[in-house]
Amino acid sequence: MQVFLIRHPRPLLESGVCYGQLDVEGEDPRPLARRLRSFLPADTAVVASPLRRALGLAKALDRQARVDARLMEIDFGAWEGQRWSDIDRRLLDQWATDVLHFAPPGGESAALLQARVVDCVNSLCAEPAKRLALVTHAGAIRAALGYWLQLPIGQWSRLPLAFGSISLLEIDAPAGLQRAAGRQGEALREATPPAQLRYLNH
């Protein structure tokens, strides 16, 4: 299975604001869509996060693009819409000491993000399509890459991903894929199928 991981256009939001699942518009997706089409074979199925900055690009690529809420960005809970400089420093320090399992007030952890993204990709890989384009967010893309490439959180959480970039992950998806599950939502490593990163951040 070829999985093309596409990050949404730059959001129309001032810098320094926390915007995980905050539903903000993105820049005009049409120029990006014209460029990205050259990477996508004609039979590629497009699936998108329902957030407008991702869905707009997905629809520009394919009017029949499907939506899957499991591809949304991490939920920052009470932090959504706040300036990073206004968030309690003690909470940010707690996050820094446990990046995988810390969850902001009312939000979710990176482990839970990874579990739902992996569950989404596994279920899509079980379908007949051989190629998928997932129009989603930096956190979701990093979580998928971290899982299939078996990277520690300290590496996958820092992978560079430009707005409008495309990355290709090839997953060997045998019959009977196990869905991600585990204590506190952490994906099971023993269920990880082999994968290869063909290119990152094109």
Side-chain angles (χ1 to χ4, degrees), residues 3-106:
V3 181
F4 297 91
L5 300 164
I6 298 172
R7 190 180 182 191
H8 60 78
R10 185 180 301 277
L12 298 176
L13 187 71
E14 61 179 309
S15 62
V17 174
C18 176
Y19 65 93
Q21 291 190 5
L22 194 65
D23 195 8
V24 296
E25 291 282 1
E27 293 179 347
D28 184 357
R30 290 171 294 183
L32 281 177
R34 287 193 290 269
R35 178 178 64 81
L36 291 168
R37 281 194 197 99
S38 65
F39 292 95
L40 300 177
D43 60 347
T44 304
V46 179
V47 185
S49 158
L51 298 178
R52 288 179 291 173
R53 57 191 185 271
L55 186 56
L57 176 55
K59 293 294 186 180
L61 288 168
D62 181 358
R63 292 182 181 179
Q64 304 303 314
R66 295 156 53 192
V67 171
D68 195 310
R70 292 172 294 180
L71 293 174
M72 286 199 296
E73 182 59 283
I74 193 168
D75 182 0
F76 282 116
W79 293 358
E80 298 279 355
Q82 291 193 50
R83 298 193 66 81
W84 286 105
S85 58
D86 293 335
I87 295 171
D88 190 332
R89 184 72 241 179
R90 292 171 298 177
L91 292 178
L92 293 174
D93 289 342
Q94 290 177 33
W95 185 21
T97 60
D98 189 2
V99 177
L100 186 62
H101 296 291
F102 174 85

Side-chain angles (χ1 to χ4, degrees), residues 95-162:
W95 185 21
T97 60
D98 189 2
V99 177
L100 186 62
H101 296 291
F102 174 85
E108 67 180 336
S109 67
L112 290 173
L113 164 69
Q114 188 175 57
R116 65 171 163 84
V117 170
V118 170
D119 184 68
C120 176
V121 177
N122 275 347
S123 63
L124 293 171
C125 284
E127 297 180 1
K130 297 300 182 185
R131 297 179 182 88
L132 287 170
L134 305 182
V135 185
T136 180
H137 309 268
I141 295 171
R142 289 175 180 132
L145 293 174
Y147 178 79
W148 271 285
L149 300 177
Q150 297 185 314
L151 301 175
I153 180 69
Q155 290 184 28
W156 68 255
S157 64
R158 292 182 171 87
L159 289 171
L161 291 167

